[in-house]
Amino acid sequence: MIESIKSYLQTHREKHIEELMAFLRIPSISAVAQHQPDMQKCAEWTAQSLQKAGLENIEIMPTKGHPVVYADWLHAPGKPTVLIYGHYDVQPAEPLELWETPPFEPVIRDNKLFGRGSTDDKGQLLLYVKVVEAFLQTQGSLPVNVKFCIEGEEEIASKNLPAFVEEHAAKLQADSIVLSDTQMHGPGKPALMYGLRGLAGFEITIDGANSDLHSGLFGGAVQNPIHAMTKLLSSFHDENGRVTVQGFYDRVIELSDKEREAFKKVEPDENKVRTNLNVTELYGEKGFSFYEQTTSRPTLEITSVSGGFQGEGIKPIIPNRATAKIACRLVAAQVPEEIMDLVEAHIHAQPLPGVSVTLDRQLRGNPFITPIDEPVMVAAAEAYEETFNEWPVYTRSGGSIPIVEVLGRVLDAPVVLMGFGLPGENLHAPNEHFHLMNWDNGTETISRYWLKLAALAATTTESN
């Protein structure tokens, strides 16, 4: 079966690439109000593409912002349902002068397709649509049931999608979720990203006297909010880089031996990191490698501190206010609100006479993880191996994609991040491109993945 799928995709490859280029010509920039008509046009183009592929129940569903495009094909009784997530919006193209060719006039050079959205995420999204087409045209059916949820706000933090997912959870319900909006480890080196850090962001304000005070008249007798702030901030870490907030690590899921072994295949050379950053030495929580520190360990980072006169010269005052902004990167199974509760308790436990302290909670995002031995992850790894002749490396990201966690939690389904982009493809930057060798590799891997999910379901049924 896989050979007939590959043959169809190869025969229709030129037509499919032309369709992708038409997709890329639509400047669906979600962040810019003047592109609202383009966003609607792109949602309509996406819906038409899904219909042409043979999908059903296609809807352009409104949100408080840009619409979500939904489609499904649900005629595989006894087989699992896979929800495919993607996005049709793109980043602004500026600075335009750095593009070798116009960002919304896609061209192919050196077997790379250049254009805004080519790798993030229109190119990777359309892979799934063409796999649907290939199966339906050659087999008359799909090996699994599929649903598509394609949003238009990923590049502006998916601000309306969480509410949409909550509202339409029954419609979106699936046995697993897959998205291709990440990267491989390198050319011919597939990667499965199985973890993302969460985020808790807040601002601390320390207030002292009711106005700035003359340092000569009041200095030494009235608490200086900046002094109090520096004392507070220094209390957050010990000499080994460990966060001292009581209970901060209680929910952290420690790495397994298997994960630590997997990390060794992707860990960067720490000496090169230090050299590239031009720092005398790296610093972090003791007992963990650089890669572990930046992907699988939680952090508490002071991102800014301010207070007093900021202009040129010195104004000899005791300022009446100091502020600091904090960003905590969280790992499974930490909860942002709980972490901020713990930080607030830590603050109030510090002896800071003569001032008042408040904490303003601003950013929240839950961490995400799918265990690497989850059956759908194993199936994805096997599909990668059959296509690339190499088992994928397992990676975690130090950053956050909150919607991934929302989908997994609300729909109670494992999430698989199967990236086909490559490092250096300039996503979000001028001259964004997509290596077309991974168009072919991507459609083959997805095809194999769906076949494996179907076989996995059959095996599970037999064992029961």
Side-chain angles (χ1 to χ4, degrees):
M1 182 186 298
I2 190 65
E3 292 305 321
S4 63
I5 299 295
K6 289 171 61 179
S7 176
Y8 178 90
L9 290 166
Q10 191 60 40
T11 300
H12 294 82
R13 185 180 192 272
E14 185 175 343
K15 175 177 176 290
H16 292 166
I17 297 299
E18 288 175 357
E19 290 181 34
L20 173 55
M21 294 173 79
F23 199 12
L24 297 179
R25 290 190 185 101
I26 305 172
S28 49
I29 304 169
S30 54
V32 180
Q34 72 185 59
H35 285 283
Q36 175 65 41
D38 296 311
M39 294 301 299
Q40 184 64 33
K41 179 181 178 181
C42 199
E44 292 170 358
W45 190 99
T46 303
Q48 291 168 5
S49 178
L50 295 167
Q51 184 178 38
K52 289 177 183 177
L55 288 151
E56 302 171 343
N57 302 312
I58 297 159
E59 298 179 66
I60 298 176
M61 304 179 70
T63 71
K64 291 182 179 179
H66 303 305
V68 171
V69 182
Y70 173 86
D72 63 34
W73 188 94
L74 305 173
H75 304 293
K79 301 300 182 183
T81 298
V82 182
L83 176 69
I84 297 126
Y85 163 83
H87 63 94
Y88 62 86
D89 66 321
V90 300
Q91 282 281 333
E94 285 79 2
L96 298 177
E97 67 274 11
L98 297 183
W99 285 81
E100 294 183 20
T101 52
F104 296 104
E105 297 178 18
V107 297
I108 296 174
R109 300 194 301 270
D110 301 324
N111 202 32
K112 304 170 189 174
L113 177 57
F114 286 80
R116 174 58 87 227
S118 54
T119 190
D120 181 22
D121 176 47
K122 292 179 178 179
Q124 298 199 61
L125 168 61
L126 206 61
L127 294 171
Y128 290 88
V129 181
K130 293 311 165 188
V131 170
V132 167
E133 177 187 317
F135 270 104
L136 292 180
Q137 290 297 317
T138 62
Q139 311 301 317
S141 63
L142 302 181
V144 293
N145 302 291
V146 300
K147 298 178 180 180
F148 281 79
C149 176
I150 306 170
E151 70 159 320
E153 296 186 339
E154 194 276 343
E155 300 294 4
I156 51 174
S158 301
K159 53 189 177 184
N160 290 299
L161 193 60
F164 178 91
V165 173
E166 294 273 6
E167 181 181 354
H168 300 285
K171 188 183 194 73
L172 300 174
Q173 194 60 56
D175 298 295
S176 65
I177 302 159
V178 65
L179 62 107
S180 294
D181 197 10
T182 55
Q183 297 180 342
M184 295 167 52
H185 191 53
K189 304 286 186 182
L192 278 170
M193 183 177 291
Y194 71 99
L196 298 163
R197 290 200 288 191
L199 180 65
F202 48 91
E203 184 171 11
I204 299 170
T205 301
I206 296 184
D207 287 305
N210 56 10
S211 68
D212 291 349
L213 301 175
H214 190 292
S215 65
L217 299 178
F218 294 94
V222 176
Q223 174 70 289
N224 185 321
I226 295 179
H227 293 182
M229 181 66 79
T230 57
K231 180 180 179 181
L232 174 61
L233 297 181
S234 67
S235 75
F236 283 131
H237 297 86
D238 65 19
E239 64 278 7
N240 292 316
R242 188 173 174 85
V243 177
T244 56
V245 174
Q246 186 172 356
F248 187 81
Y249 295 97
D250 285 357
R251 286 185 179 267
V252 173
I253 299 174
E254 301 293 339
L255 288 174
S256 67
D257 291 341
K258 186 176 181 180
E259 288 176 293
R260 284 202 156 190
E261 284 300 312
F263 275 21
K264 291 178 181 178
K265 298 179 180 179
V266 296
E267 287 177 344
D269 183 322
E270 295 189 7
N271 286 326
K272 287 184 179 180
V273 173
R274 178 182 54 77
T275 300
N276 291 339
L277 296 178
N278 194 28
V279 294
T280 56
E281 60 182 293
L282 298 178
Y283 175 81
E285 188 183 2
K286 299 297 183 184
F288 299 92
S289 69
F290 172 85
Y291 190 74
E292 290 171 337
Q293 290 167 342
T294 56
T295 61
S296 65
R297 299 299 295 172
T299 66
L300 188 156
E301 294 292 341
I302 301 160
T303 63
S304 74
V305 181
S306 60
F309 176 67
Q310 301 294 312
E312 185 178 353
I314 297 175
K315 184 179 182 181
I317 59 166
I318 298 172
N320 73 321
R321 170 171 288 185
T323 62
K325 296 180 179 181
I326 310 289
C328 296
R329 294 290 179 171
L330 310 179
V331 298
Q334 291 178 302
V335 179
E337 205 65 43
E338 183 177 290
I339 289 297
M340 289 189 280
D341 286 344
L342 295 173
V343 170
E344 191 158 14
H346 175 91
I347 289 171
H348 292 313
Q350 306 307 304
L352 300 173
V355 294
S356 61
V357 186
T358 57
L359 186 144
D360 178 23
R361 307 178 185 209
Q362 298 179 358
L363 299 175
R364 300 165 179 82
N366 290 325
F368 150 80
I369 191 168
T370 297
I372 60 177
D373 56 359
E374 175 77 36
V376 294
M377 286 286 283
V378 176
E382 291 173 346
Y384 267 132
E385 184 184 38
E386 290 180 4
T387 300
F388 290 89
N389 295 315
E390 183 156 341
W391 194 264
V393 296
Y394 294 101
T395 64
R396 288 198 192 190
S397 171
S400 306
I401 309 177
I403 195 57
V404 173
E405 184 277 335
V406 171
L407 287 166
R409 172 173 48 82
V410 174
L411 304 181
D412 191 24
V415 185
V416 179
L417 283 73
M418 297 181 68
F420 298 102
L422 285 176
E425 287 185 334
N426 290 12
L427 66 165
H428 294 200
N431 302 308
E432 178 182 350
H433 57 278
F434 183 54
H435 286 68
L436 290 180
M437 62 182 178
N438 285 330
W439 173 271
D440 304 312
N441 291 330
T443 52
E444 180 179 346
T445 303
I446 293 164
S447 301
R448 292 183 181 278
Y449 180 50
W450 288 358
L451 290 169
K452 289 186 177 299
L453 289 180
L456 181 64
T459 301
T460 303
T461 301
E462 290 174 5
S463 64
N464 291 337

